[in-house]
Structure formats: structure tokens, C-alpha cells
Amino acid sequence: MSFDRNVKIAPSILSADFADFGAECRAIEAQGCDWVHVDVMDGHFVPNITFGPQLCKAIRPHIKTVMDVHLMIAPVDQYIEAFAQAGADFLTVHAEAGPHLDRTLQAVRAAGAKAGVSLNPSTPPEAIEFVLDRIDLILVMTVNPGFGGQSFIEAMVPKIERLRAMVGDRPIHIQVDGGVTPLTAPAVVAAGADVLVAGSAVFRGGSVNNPAPYGENISAIRNAVAAASAGTSV
Ligand code: DX5
Ligand code: ZN
């Protein structure tokens, strides 16, 4: 997997049909997504429960692009190996999930996955200043994690700018997650994000039997970003 800063759309399967994850993954890829974002929640670190490594392993053969696993779980260390074994390409942990982030990130890479670190809205950029050489991705939460369909927190835009400056020339992706729509995407890309997670904004209006809206929704986000960077609005 080579590194680039082109805009990538990563639909969150949190908004997919939970009875049909394999088909949903195939459908969003056929409709043009770049990565597949998998939200793991434990009912402890966040107030919602989704699924674990067995589900990740089960859907892995249905994903041809990148399986991007976002772990909203604490403690996290004892589960890293299982998620890496399940085929996560990127494995993202929360900076707030434990006391030894540096050790946790080393464990992710040692398990064979690319290492991501996520920041809750209230966590400052400086929380990861001294682990930059251990990571491949920064996930900026633009909602409080736990649920899809929440409103984008505008105060995160300057935080993305600060993280982008902090990253400099390092090959570290900056990912944004929560409330990403055609209206909010241009500002986060202008601030320096290159991976856009979107749940409700991608899955709305479609289904595995009617996947065309997924493609239209993905295109709407891409077009809004392209139009804004070309200096026009949509
Ligand atoms: C929130 C999850 C997100 C969520 C985004 O805890 O990490 O990935 O699914 O959903 P939308 O795009 O609907 O805000
Ligand atoms: Zn997520």
C-alpha cells in the first residue's frame, strides 16, 4: 500500500445493514469507495456495542480495498493481536483508551497492522506529539464517538490544521470521522485531512438491493471537495 494524500472516502459500516455486512462491503466498493471503515464499540469506552474480531474476520474476504478498523474499546491492548489476525490493514486505537499509548502503538505494528491513533473531540493535538514516529494514521473525531448520525463539531477544523502542521512530511494519514457530509467535507480537506469516514452520508437512501445511492452519495462528497478546492461551490 503506497502512501498518498489524495482524498479517500471510507464508508462506516456502522450505518450498513447489520444482517448483511458481506454484501454491504461488496456494494460500497462496487460503488466506488476507497476504504471500508469498521467501528468496534465495547459499551464501556463508548456507550454503544457493535461487534468484535470474529465479525472483522468474517467480512475480510468481502473487502478488496482496505479494512480500516477503529477500536473504541478500553482496555485495548489484549485485543490487538486478535484484530490484526482478523485482517485489519489499519488498526486505530484511542489515545484515551489506556495509560501507555506508546506501548500500545508499538504492539499494533508488532502485530502486523498499520497503527492509527484517534483523538476524542476534547483531546488536544499535543497528546500525540511524541508518538508521531510510531503511527501511520491520525483519526480526528469530529463527533463524540459512539453513534452515527451526529452533528459535525466545527471546533475540530483548527485542530485538524494543527495536526496537519505537526505531521509535516511524515507519511501519516489524517482521517476525519463523524458528521462528514458534502457540506462539511470541504473544510476538513482544506484543513489537511485526506481520509473521510462517512456513515449516514454514504448509506442513506440505498441498500444492497439498491446500491446506486451509495455511489451517488460518495460522488456527492468527492464533488463537493473538488468544487471547493477549485474555488467554486456546489
Ligand atoms: C462514531 C463512529 C463513526 C460513525 C460516523 O463513533 O466512529 O464512524 O459511524 O457516522 P456518521 O458519518 O453518520 O456521523
Ligand atoms: Zn469510526
Side-chain angles (χ1 to χ4, degrees):
M1 211 187 304
S2 62
F3 181 85
D4 68 62
R5 290 205 180 281
N6 300 330
V7 172
K8 291 164 277 293
I9 309 292
S12 165
I13 61 167
L14 186 62
S15 294
D17 178 354
F18 270 44
D20 217 352
F21 277 128
E24 290 277 40
C25 290
R26 296 195 303 274
I28 52 176
E29 289 195 340
Q31 293 296 321
C33 77
D34 299 288
W35 294 9
V36 176
H37 185 80
V38 182
D39 283 312
V40 175
M41 303 185 185
D42 66 353
H44 170 74
F45 180 70
V46 290
N48 194 6
I49 300 176
T50 55
F51 39 72
Q54 293 93 336
L55 187 282
C56 294
K57 188 175 180 185
I59 64 173
R60 190 66 190 85
H62 300 271
I63 297 173
K64 294 192 176 66
T65 58
V66 171
M67 186 159 86
D68 170 38
V69 178
H70 177 192
L71 297 180
M72 287 162 274
I73 66 176
V76 62
D77 291 17
Q78 60 262 53
Y79 301 106
I80 287 170
E81 189 67 36
F83 283 100
Q85 288 293 319
D89 296 296
F90 283 86
L91 198 48
T92 295
V93 300
H94 266 261
E96 309 85 3
H100 303 295
L101 179 61
D102 184 279
R103 176 186 289 151
T104 301
L105 293 168
Q106 289 190 58
V108 172
R109 282 188 170 170
K114 290 191 182 292
V117 61
S118 182
L119 302 177
N120 280 336
S122 64
T123 302
E126 291 73 23
I128 58 169
E129 188 173 359
F130 297 104
V131 294
L132 291 175
D133 293 328
R134 301 217 188 276
I135 61 176
D136 304 287
L137 177 146
I138 299 166
L139 194 175
V140 183
M141 288 306 307
T142 41
V143 298
N144 287 289
F147 303 96
Q150 303 181 80
S151 297
F152 180 84
I153 301 173
E154 294 284 345
M156 297 300 103
V157 173
K159 182 168 157 182
I160 296 164
E161 287 172 356
R162 280 170 57 182
L163 286 161
R164 179 67 191 88
M166 200 185 270
V167 160
D169 293 334
R170 295 178 180 85
I172 299 175
H173 295 289
I174 298 187
Q175 181 175 54
V176 170
D177 187 0
V180 174
T181 68
L183 288 176
T184 56
V188 302
V189 172
D194 65 294
V195 188
L196 308 183
V197 175
S200 39
V202 167
F203 284 93
R204 77 162 56 97
S207 70
V208 291
N209 297 319
N210 175 34
Y214 298 166
E216 291 159 14
N217 294 336
I218 291 168
S219 295
I221 298 171
R222 285 196 208 284
N223 293 343
V225 168
S229 58
T232 56
S233 61
V234 284

